[in-house]
Amino acid sequence: MDLVLHLADEFLLDNVWAKMLPASRYSPICSATHAMALNQTITEADRLMACGAPGQEVSWLPRDNIIRQIISLYVITYIGIILLYFSCAGFSYYFLFNKDLKKHPLYLKNQVKLEIQSSLRAFPMLDLLTLPWFVLEVRGYSLAYDRWDEYGLWYLILSVPLFLVFTDACIYWVHRSEHHPRIYKYIHKPHHKWVVPTPFASHAFHPLDGYAQSLPYHIFPWIFPLNKLLFLALFGFVNIWSIMIHDSDMINNTGLEKYINGPAHHTLHHLYFTCNYGQYFTTCDRLCGSFREPQAEDDPLLEANGVPRPQRAKPTKSD
């Protein structure tokens, strides 16, 4: 996030902070009443750094001030998730989501509106919970690194599948744990309100649910070095993936169903509750007995068109 923060400061936030908290008003170094007293101890370089060049206003809070960083990062994160959510979920809904699914008996009245409202309620708290990770990363406490060749080209390439495998395994157990009866009704049940989800349901969850399932992404660069630009790209990818797997599409017979946890697998998870907990891969589901391979007869479009759905797996108490 320090790359994003640097660009935001460079092109926008320096001016915003300078107008909100100008150094000329709040910094004694820049105050005319203190100029003579400080002249012997403050160098011209220090004065320029604190006050800016003549005619140029700077902020009393420098870029590396932690209070400024916290506020800036929260605003950037909130605006970022709003833009990504509405652009990607909107594109998926209007161009990929099959509107015939709205005829499904379990599709709720005004569901899209309800999904969006649930997401917008979740974002402020979710961003607040996520904020400490971004602040610590910006202040250099993680293993995220700048130069692409710092650990070699091969490590840079292999860090992508390592990231996906690590986070997928962690999310599997977080997600499956959220289906425990003592947790489910408090944390995860709001997300399963959408039995036939649209892409707008991707972020329509309890803030603690979204935060718990995002933890592996934040933990990874504290265990494994990860290029900062690559981390930013992967963080964007996982949010887009989450939107994509909520389009209720039952694509099957591609040959990848046994390995890749795609939209069809997650559609089955929303329909049957007790299968396909993985995020990207089916490995953990197959190893732990929770894998259900998508079949044509599972397609919710059939029930939307009046064909009875196959018998559900018996739900657990939490469902």
Side-chain angles (χ1 to χ4, degrees), residues 40-290:
Q40 300 301 316
T41 58
I42 302 298
T43 67
E44 186 61 24
D46 290 334
R47 194 185 304 281
L48 283 172
M49 182 176 294
C51 310
Q56 175 195 14
E57 185 67 86
V58 298
S59 174
W60 173 54
L61 293 179
R63 288 185 179 184
D64 61 354
N65 180 275
I66 190 170
I67 302 299
R68 170 172 165 170
Q69 289 177 339
I70 288 172
I71 296 173
S72 295
L73 284 169
Y74 184 82
V75 172
I76 290 170
T77 303
Y78 185 77
I79 293 175
I81 192 61
I82 289 289
L83 292 176
L84 185 146
Y85 174 70
F86 280 105
S87 61
C88 294
F91 177 87
S92 182
Y93 175 76
Y94 287 107
F95 296 104
L96 302 177
F97 178 74
N98 192 321
K99 307 305 185 296
D100 287 341
L101 287 167
K102 291 185 174 184
K103 298 183 294 185
H104 194 283
L106 295 178
Y107 186 89
L108 303 179
K109 183 180 179 180
N110 298 321
Q111 182 170 310
V112 168
K113 179 181 178 180
L114 295 173
E115 290 170 340
I116 292 174
Q117 288 175 341
S118 177
S119 300
L120 292 179
R121 286 194 299 268
F123 287 149
M125 180 56 68
L126 178 61
D127 289 349
L128 189 62
L129 292 170
T130 305
L131 186 60
W133 294 99
F134 289 150
V135 173
L136 290 171
E137 187 257 311
V138 163
R139 299 185 72 82
Y141 289 101
S142 74
L143 297 179
Y145 61 91
D146 293 297
R147 290 179 47 198
W148 67 268
D149 59 346
E150 189 169 336
Y151 287 86
L153 178 60
W154 279 111
Y155 181 80
L156 181 73
I157 295 171
L158 292 175
S159 61
V160 175
L162 178 61
F163 176 89
L164 295 176
V165 170
F166 174 86
T167 56
D168 180 74
C170 292
I171 291 172
Y172 175 86
W173 288 110
V174 170
H175 190 183
R176 187 158 185 174
S177 297
E178 289 182 336
H179 278 258
H180 189 281
R182 293 186 178 180
I183 300 175
Y184 177 84
K185 63 181 178 179
Y186 299 109
I187 302 298
H188 196 51
K189 188 175 182 179
H191 186 62
H192 275 286
K193 179 179 182 179
W194 329 111
V195 180
V196 181
T198 80
F200 288 108
S202 58
H203 292 72
F205 39 49
H206 190 288
L208 290 178
D209 181 5
Y211 178 66
Q213 294 200 52
S214 73
L215 276 175
Y217 306 131
H218 302 298
I219 292 172
F220 183 89
W222 289 75
I223 301 175
F224 305 100
L226 186 63
N227 178 266
K228 291 179 179 178
L229 189 58
L230 181 59
F231 183 32
L232 189 63
L234 288 169
F235 200 78
F237 165 77
V238 300
N239 278 279
I240 294 172
W241 182 271
S242 294
I243 292 170
M244 182 190 72
I245 63 175
H246 283 87
D247 66 7
S248 296
D249 200 331
M250 283 296 295
I251 297 174
N252 53 47
N253 295 324
T254 65
L256 298 176
E257 290 81 15
K258 291 185 181 296
Y259 311 104
I260 304 298
N261 187 85
H265 301 77
H266 202 69
T267 296
L268 292 181
H269 177 73
H270 276 263
L271 286 171
Y272 297 105
F273 299 99
T274 56
C275 62
N276 301 346
Y277 299 101
Q279 184 77 352
Y280 311 112
F281 309 113
T282 63
T283 307
C284 290
D285 281 299
R286 287 189 283 112
L287 289 174
C288 300
S290 55

Side-chain angles (χ1 to χ4, degrees), residues 22-39 47 51 57:
S24 59
R25 178 180 301 177
Y26 295 100
S27 175
I29 297 176
C30 307
S31 172
T33 58
H34 291 78
M36 294 300 295
L38 295 173
N39 190 49
R47 194 185 304 281
C51 310
E57 185 67 86

